[in-house]
Amino acid sequence: MSTVLLTKRIEFAAAHRYIKAEWDEAKNRAVFGPCYNPPAHGHNYMVEVTVSGEVDPKTGMVVNLFDLKRILLNVLEEFDHKNLNLDMPYFEDRIPTSENLARLLWTKLDRQKAIGSLHAIRLYEDEDLYADVTAAGLNVASVTRRYSFTGLQDGRQGPEWDCFVTVHGTIDPVTGMVTDIGILNRLVQEKVVQTFGRHELHQVLGTQPVTGEQLVEHIWKQLVSSLSSGRLANVRLVQSRDLSFDYAG
């Protein structure tokens, strides 16, 4: 029987702060930006847990959804409405970044054999930033950041594009990040948002008409060799709820 993937979404709330106590304020602020600001900031995290397995011929399900939800709630209760820096011993020696938190949730849920085979975890810090972890390795993750811009088409305002940039790599043991988000933000602002925002797209690309396929490939080529750390894994360009374009080299 074929393997089926089942994904369950569930929320919890927690606060965190990015800080290395042994660094001075200037270095903390340079590396972590606003995430360093005291005392902490909160998020309504959304976690998507994907399990895999064969469909049970008696129940028609990969795993009982009631059991899956109960187990997820039990695991997440430990983190709900907590300050991850101050209340969670897991983060005494590491920063509670999205990547580190997603990897910690993986280790906890992977022990829960009643939910079947754990396939992937996606942790949304907010709608603009999320981290993905799989069984690829305990120190490996992907992080995705959303950016938006609106170009011009024949002098008129075109659609607003959402650009999702995904970087994959090893979680840095010092910063807890796959890539420096501050550097990534500046890079995408310079090479994407400022380049296309309020500019004629056909003039930037040198082609007429401009398609989503051409645009997403151009963005990839602008970013792929410029990352400070990590590997560019995917660029997704969303034109509308019903239309998006992906490029992965």
Side-chain angles (χ1 to χ4, degrees):
M1 187 176 293
S2 300
T3 297
V4 175
L5 300 180
L6 171 69
T7 300
K8 174 65 177 175
R9 307 179 79 188
I10 196 163
E11 293 185 36
F12 68 100
H16 67 170
R17 183 189 182 197
Y18 291 13
I19 179 174
K20 292 290 290 183
E22 61 267 34
W23 291 356
D24 61 23
E25 180 168 346
K27 185 171 183 179
N28 270 292
R29 197 165 294 282
V31 174
F32 300 127
C35 291
Y36 166 70
N37 291 344
H41 59 279
H43 295 287
N44 291 319
Y45 288 97
M46 172 73 75
V47 59
E48 293 181 351
V49 177
T50 301
V51 297
S52 65
E54 296 180 353
V55 177
D56 188 308
K58 295 181 180 179
T59 65
M61 297 183 292
V62 171
V63 62
N64 186 292
L65 287 175
F66 176 82
D67 292 338
L68 178 59
K69 182 178 180 180
R70 175 179 53 81
I71 291 171
L72 293 179
L73 287 173
N74 287 342
V75 170
L76 295 176
E77 182 181 16
E78 182 181 9
F79 302 90
D80 195 30
H81 290 88
K82 299 292 179 60
N83 183 312
L84 300 179
N85 299 75
L86 303 179
D87 301 329
M88 299 283 96
Y90 314 106
F91 298 111
E92 289 180 353
D93 60 349
R94 68 191 69 182
I95 298 172
T97 60
S98 295
E99 296 96 315
N100 275 337
L101 180 54
R103 181 53 66 189
L104 175 60
L105 293 177
W106 175 280
T107 61
K108 286 184 166 292
L109 289 172
D110 195 38
R111 303 175 190 143
Q112 306 294 326
K113 301 308 178 185
I115 68 174
S117 179
L118 189 58
H119 178 79
I121 289 178
R122 173 169 290 181
L123 179 68
Y124 287 86
E125 189 168 293
D126 54 43
E127 62 181 7
D128 294 330
L129 181 66
Y130 60 84
D132 290 282
V133 295
T134 66
L138 288 178
N139 299 315
V140 177
S142 295
V143 64
T144 299
R145 184 79 163 84
R146 183 182 75 164
Y147 306 86
S148 300
F149 64 90
T150 302
L152 301 179
Q153 295 178 330
D154 299 323
R156 298 189 300 272
Q157 181 173 305
E160 181 179 46
W161 297 87
D162 283 332
C163 181
F164 293 83
V165 178
T166 299
V167 180
H168 179 80
T170 302
I171 301 173
D172 188 292
V174 177
T175 67
M177 299 186 291
V178 167
T179 191
D180 188 311
I181 291 293
I183 293 177
L184 179 65
N185 288 343
R186 292 191 291 272
L187 176 66
V188 178
Q189 287 292 328
E190 175 189 349
K191 292 186 177 290
V192 180
V193 178
Q194 294 174 12
T195 297
F196 294 108
R198 309 303 300 173
H199 289 83
E200 285 282 358
L201 298 184
H202 72 87
Q203 292 180 357
V204 177
L205 293 183
T207 182
Q208 179 78 302
V210 174
T211 65
E213 292 91 336
Q214 293 168 323
L215 190 54
V216 72
E217 182 179 3
H218 180 87
I219 292 172
W220 170 279
K221 291 179 178 178
Q222 293 300 302
L223 300 178
V224 67
S225 61
S226 302
L227 294 177
S228 61
S229 56
R231 172 183 60 83
L232 186 62
N234 192 77
V235 174
R236 166 168 287 188
L237 201 55
V238 179
Q239 181 174 341
S240 68
R241 184 183 65 178
D242 303 318
L243 184 62
S244 63
F245 308 88
D246 285 82
Y247 194 85

